[in-house]
C-alpha cells in the first residue's frame, strides 16, 4: 500500500483499454484502474514498456500502433474476446516531438505525424470501441465511458508553440464533445481530459537542464508545481466510473488552476 492507494473499488468487473499504457499518465492510470478492480488492457507501441505495465497491473498487453486502423480494431476485439466486455476506453497515447515547434519552422511531415498519432488515433479508437459499447447498452443497459486525452493547450495559447500538438489537442477536445452529445442516449459518455503539465521524466530532464524554462512555466500555475501522473490517473478513474454518471461531453481540466488564472500567488 502507498499513500496513493485508493480505498474505493468502483471498477470491479469492468474492462478498461488504456493506450500509451507503457509510460507516464497511461501507466499511472493502468495502475489506478486495476487497483479499483478493472481488467486492464495495456496497449502500447513499445513492447517492453507495455508488457511491463501489463505484468505490474495483472492485465493484458496488446502491441498496437494507434495510427493503424486494423491494429486498433484488433485491440478492442482482443479486449472483448478476453474479458467479455469493453467498458472503458482511455485514448491517451500521444507524442510531442521537438520537430513540432513554431509554425514558422515546423515542416509538413512533422505536422502530419503529430496529427496522426494525437488526433487520428483518437478518431480510430473511438470508431472501433463504440460498437462494443453500443451493443452492450442494447443488451444490458450499460454502455461505457470514453476518456480522450487532450491537454490544457487545447484551451490556452502558448508563445512557446508546438503548433501541430496544440491543433491536435483542440481537435481531440472538439471531437470528444461531439461524440459525447451524439451517443449520450446510448449510455455512452465521452469526455476530454485536459491535463496541465505533468511531472514526467522528460519534463524533469528538460527543466533540470534549463531552470529558466521551468520557472517561465511554473509562474502560471496557481498551485506552484506540476501535476504528478497519479493525480491525472485519479481524474481518469473518476471519469471512468459511475461516480461521474452526469459528466459528459466535458472539457475536464486537471490543471491546478492554470486555465482559470490571471495573476498567480507570489
Ligand atoms: N506530460 C504532460 O505534461 C502532458 C500534459 C497534457 C497532456 N498530455 C498528454 O497525455 C498523454 C500521455 O502523455 P505522457 O506524458 O504520459 O507521455 P509518455 O511519452 O510518457 O507516454 C506515451 C506513451 O504512448 C506510447 N505511444 C506513442 N506513440 C504510440 C503509437 N503510435 N501507438 C501506440 N502507443 C504509442 C509511447 O510508447 C508511450 O508509452 C499524451 O496524449 C500527451 O499529449 C501530457
Amino acid at each position: 500500500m502507498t499513500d496513493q492507494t485508493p480505498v474505493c473499488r468502483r471498477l470491479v468487473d469492468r474492462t478498461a483499454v488504456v493506450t500509451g499504457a507503457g509510460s507516464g499518465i497511461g501507466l499511472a492510470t493502468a495502475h489506478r484502474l486495476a487497483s479499483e478492480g478493472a481488467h486492464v488492457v495495456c496497449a502500447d507501441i513499445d513492447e517492453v514498456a507495455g508488457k511491463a505495465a501489463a505484468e505490474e497491473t495483472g492485465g493484458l498487453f496488446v502491441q498496437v500502433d494507434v495510427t493503424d486502423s486494423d491494429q486498433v480494431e484488433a485491440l478492442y476485439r482482443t479486449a472483448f474476446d478476453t474479458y467479455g466486455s469493453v467498458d472503458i476506453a482511455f485514448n491517451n497515447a500521444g507524442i510531442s516531438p521537438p520537430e513540432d515547434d513554431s509554425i514558422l519552422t515546423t515542416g509538413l511531415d512533422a505536422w502530419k505525424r503529430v496529427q496522426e498519432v494525437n488526433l487520428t488515433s483518437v478518431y480510430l479508437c473511438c470508431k472501433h470501441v463504440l460498437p462494443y459499447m453500443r451493443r452492450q447498452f442494447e443488451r444490458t443497459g450499460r454502455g461505457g465511458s470514453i476518456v480522450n486525452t487532450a491537454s490544457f493547450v487545447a484551451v490556452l495559447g502558448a508563445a512557446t508553440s508546438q503548433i501541430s500538438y496544440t491543433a491536435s489537442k483542440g481537435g481531440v477536445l472538439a471531437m470528444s464533445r461531439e461524440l459525447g452529445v451524439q451517443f449520450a442516449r446510448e449510455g455512452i459518455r465521452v469526455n476530454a481530459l485536459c491535463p496541465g503539465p505533468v511531472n514526467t521524466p522528460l519534463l524533469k530532464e528538460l527543466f533540470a537542464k534549463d531552470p529558466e524554462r521551468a520557472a517561465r512555466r511554473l509562474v502560471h500555475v496557481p498551485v506552484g508545481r506540476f501535476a504528478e501522473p497519479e493525480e491525472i490517473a485519479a481524474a481518469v478513474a473518476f471519469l471512468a466510473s459511475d461516480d461521474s454518471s452526469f459528466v459528459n461531453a466535458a472539457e475536464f481540466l486537471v490543471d491546478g488552476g492554470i486555465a482559470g488564472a490571471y495573476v498567480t500567488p507570489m
Side-chain angles (χ1 to χ4, degrees):
M1 296 273 278
T2 69
D3 290 342
Q4 301 290 340
T5 305
V7 287
C8 45
R9 299 269 298 168
R10 296 176 290 188
L11 305 174
V12 174
D13 289 336
R14 308 275 165 108
T15 302
V17 178
V18 177
T19 69
S23 173
I25 295 170
L27 181 60
T29 302
H31 276 275
R32 175 69 190 238
L33 300 183
S35 76
E36 291 219 23
H39 302 294
V40 180
V41 178
C42 295
D44 208 291
I45 199 167
D46 181 333
E47 189 178 0
V48 174
K51 265 188 184 160
E55 262 166 42
E56 289 166 18
T57 57
L60 178 76
F61 169 60
V62 178
Q63 189 170 25
V64 62
D65 178 348
V66 288
T67 67
D68 183 306
S69 184
D70 292 343
Q71 291 184 32
V72 172
E73 194 173 7
L75 166 66
Y76 296 110
R77 196 183 323 121
T78 305
F80 182 82
D81 290 348
T82 308
Y83 296 116
S85 68
V86 186
D87 307 279
I88 297 152
F90 181 38
N91 302 323
N92 162 76
I95 54 170
S96 58
E99 317 78 84
D100 178 24
D101 201 277
S102 159
I103 194 167
L104 300 174
T105 52
T106 301
L108 193 55
D109 286 350
W111 165 272
K112 283 184 177 166
R113 179 75 192 138
V114 172
Q115 293 297 315
E116 285 271 297
V117 180
N118 290 7
L119 179 57
T120 308
S121 69
V122 177
Y123 151 78
L124 290 173
C125 288
C126 291
K127 185 180 179 64
H128 291 305
V129 79
L130 277 163
Y132 290 99
M133 294 180 171
R134 295 180 75 205
R135 273 199 297 274
Q136 177 161 292
F137 180 69
E138 269 175 28
R139 272 202 334 268
T140 68
R142 195 175 90 193
S145 171
I146 298 177
V147 181
N148 296 325
T149 306
S151 166
F152 70 113
V153 301
V155 301
L156 283 176
T160 51
S161 182
Q162 289 184 288
I163 193 64
S164 186
Y165 182 91
T166 296
S168 72
K169 296 302 187 181
V172 170
L173 181 58
M175 179 164 48
S176 305
R177 185 188 300 127
E178 186 140 303
L179 296 176
V181 172
Q182 185 180 353
F183 294 101
R185 296 194 188 179
E186 296 183 72
I188 300 164
R189 296 181 294 109
V190 186
N191 290 293
L193 176 80
C194 298
V198 181
N199 209 1
T200 55
L202 196 76
L203 198 82
K204 277 187 203 156
E205 192 188 311
L206 197 71
F207 292 156
K209 274 192 220 141
D210 193 346
E212 212 181 300
R213 197 172 169 155
R216 187 170 173 197
R217 283 158 179 79
L218 270 171
V219 76
H220 297 288
V221 191
V223 300
R225 63 174 177 83
F226 298 132
E228 294 303 324
E230 291 75 15
E231 293 176 291
I232 309 299
V236 182
F238 167 69
L239 290 173
S241 79
D242 294 342
D243 278 352
S244 60
S245 53
F246 211 63
V247 182
N248 182 37
E251 173 186 301
F252 201 87
L253 282 158
V254 188
D255 71 344
I258 300 171
Y262 172 35
V263 179
T264 55
M266 297 282 276

